[in-house]
Amino acid sequence: GDIRYFDEVDSTNDVAKKMGSSSDEGTVVIAEMQDSGRGRKGGHWMSPRGGVWMSVILKPNVVPAYAPRFTLMAGVAVAKAIRGLGVEASLKWPNDVLIGDKKVCGILTEMDAECDQINFVIIGIGINVNVLIEELSEDLRSSSTSLSEIKGEELDRIAFVQALLRALEDEYIRSKTSGFDSILEEWRSLSSTIGRDVDVVTPQRIIRGKAVGITENGTLLVETAEGLEEIVAGSCIHG
Ligand code: BTN
């Protein structure tokens, strides 16, 4: 597909959303910086120069309920691309990529759907590649890292994006040919959430227990004192 490159945008997800219907599957929107990068739960995503801020348009023939699968799939691709650099990346439910216990990447999947049919999916991926952690806001600094901070040198972002897009395409093709189970299996093995004691903060309550699995709908299974809970959405704190 096409790669649409911008110096500065509000949000690559918003640009991709506008282009979605008229673009081919596989179109990529990428920008050097975002003025209004968006994160989960309506949050702001700091996107200074040096990072990789991109959105990929996919047109899968599945029902909207499958949208969380694309977040998991993208997480697997990002973790593999980072591991390809010799850096131990892991996945934290539902959509963070960590190095150690610090976040290096966030994923925001959005979709355009009607009548139970997906028109297109936008997978927004933000990776702190050559980002100076000092440039992030104070509240993020202690919980964030970048690939350049870990490696002690700047990385070749073009080579990294190529490896990432290749990994994403591999996973996408695999999800179609071998089914989503094989991706789920890989997500579990790359995950630092599964097997951990967690607190999951949901709008209603905090669920404390041991994360024991993830379902094909992307929900987290937590073993609590009261029994097994299936959690659809929330923020996960690793114990
Ligand atoms: C999160 O809160 O962890 C998700 C962050 C997602 C950030 C990426 S950067 C590229 C794309 N465009 C956006 O506005 N957000 C996503």
Side-chain angles (χ1 to χ4, degrees):
D2 276 8
I3 295 186
R4 303 294 178 88
Y5 169 82
F6 298 88
D7 185 56
E8 191 171 345
V9 295
D10 285 341
S11 155
T12 56
N13 267 29
D14 293 345
V15 174
K17 225 179 258 177
K18 288 195 193 100
M19 296 176 16
S21 324
S22 57
S23 301
D24 289 337
E25 172 161 82
T27 299
V28 175
V29 177
I30 188 162
E32 293 288 348
M33 62 178 286
Q34 301 184 115
D35 295 321
S36 320
R38 293 188 291 107
R40 288 177 64 213
K41 298 177 291 181
H44 179 67
W45 178 260
M46 284 197 81
S47 318
R49 291 187 185 277
V52 165
W53 323 120
M54 67 177 210
S55 302
V56 181
I57 298 169
L58 294 183
K59 304 201 164 180
N61 195 10
V62 298
V63 293
Y66 281 13
R69 296 183 174 196
F70 297 98
T71 300
L72 300 176
M73 179 183 90
V76 167
V78 172
K80 281 183 162 180
I82 294 177
R83 283 182 177 217
L85 301 168
V87 175
E88 280 279 313
S90 75
L91 295 167
K92 183 173 122 171
W93 185 84
N95 65 345
D96 295 350
V97 183
L98 306 181
I99 298 174
D101 57 1
K102 293 187 176 182
K103 181 160 170 172
V104 70
C105 162
I107 297 164
L108 181 66
T109 300
E110 299 182 291
M111 65 178 163
D112 185 284
E114 57 191 326
C115 304
D116 230 40
Q117 185 62 40
I118 289 181
N119 294 329
F120 56 87
V121 172
I122 292 161
I123 306 178
I125 303 175
I127 309 173
N128 299 333
V129 179
N130 297 327
V131 168
L132 292 171
I133 297 307
E134 306 87 78
E135 277 185 27
L136 299 180
S137 63
E138 214 179 314
D139 56 316
L140 291 175
R141 272 177 233 159
S142 62
S143 58
S144 306
T145 191
S146 67
L147 294 176
S148 57
E149 184 183 58
I150 297 289
K151 288 292 240 182
E153 61 181 15
E154 293 222 332
L155 281 92
D156 179 344
R157 286 185 306 158
I158 293 178
F160 179 74
V161 169
Q162 284 172 337
L164 173 58
L165 290 176
R166 221 168 277 136
L168 194 60
E169 185 169 18
D170 284 351
E171 298 306 322
Y172 188 45
I173 290 170
R174 195 150 66 102
S175 74
K176 290 190 186 182
T177 54
S178 316
F180 187 67
D181 272 357
S182 64
I183 288 170
L184 214 48
E185 217 27 74
E186 193 130 42
W187 195 94
R188 290 189 188 104
S189 74
L190 289 165
S191 164
S192 50
T193 300
I194 307 300
R196 272 286 248 289
D197 287 328
V198 293
D199 283 335
V200 186
V201 183
T202 75
Q204 296 80 30
R205 62 208 173 101
I206 298 175
I207 296 134
R208 168 163 291 192
K210 184 179 177 180
V212 291
I214 188 163
T215 71
E216 58 186 5
N217 300 319
T219 59
L220 185 70
L221 299 172
V222 177
E223 211 164 70
T224 73
E226 286 79 44
L228 196 64
E229 299 251 13
E230 182 174 348
I231 305 167
V232 177
S235 297
C236 178
I237 301 164
H238 284 169

